[in-house]
Amino acid sequence: MPRAGLSRQTLTETALAIIDEGGPRAFDNLTLAAVAARHGVSTPSLYKHVGSLADLRRDVALESVRDFTRALSRATVGRAGADAVVSLAEGLRAFAEEKPARYLAAQHAGDPDEPADAAIIGASTEALEVTTSALRGYDFTPERAIDAVRVFRSAIHGFVLLELEGGFGLSRDLDTSFDALVVMLVRGLEGLARD
């Protein structure tokens, strides 16, 4: 008999709260024992609601991708060209700073050969569409659009990851360096569109 008050949704919400409190790598360190402890139950009792830690992590990743997509959409709505790129970059960084573990959870790509990952793949496709839409003003060919999305994501993700993990030790203000990165990206995207 499932314990009153426990459901797959409540366990997912608890897991999200745990990773929100745990810093950037909290998603990687999530355990069923931690979730069970929050509810005052034994770990085996969770198996009435989730099949495994992998299932719970999949649910957390899915909610993280959805949250991430909403944040990027809010940042870019009604914007085009360089303005859209700047807003997208700033929105991505702000989300990562506010919810670092969810940001990293949202980066976990689903396995196309795993049927249980279908929802994550669908949600990730929506997140990718926000980025693609922000870059649409450059009128890239379909092939160049893929390059542009990959370059944008790699550059911003690299900066954000280094920032989250304390990888910048020089005294220069990080906001100034981030602005420089975005300027370089905008100029690079403009050049890529001309090629």
Side-chain angles (χ1 to χ4, degrees), residues 105-116:
Q107 307 310 309
H108 287 255
D111 179 354
D113 295 326
E114 173 57 59

Side-chain angles (χ1 to χ4, degrees), residues 95-106:
F95 182 85
E97 288 175 346
E98 182 183 341
K99 300 176 180 179
R102 288 191 196 208
Y103 170 76
L104 291 173

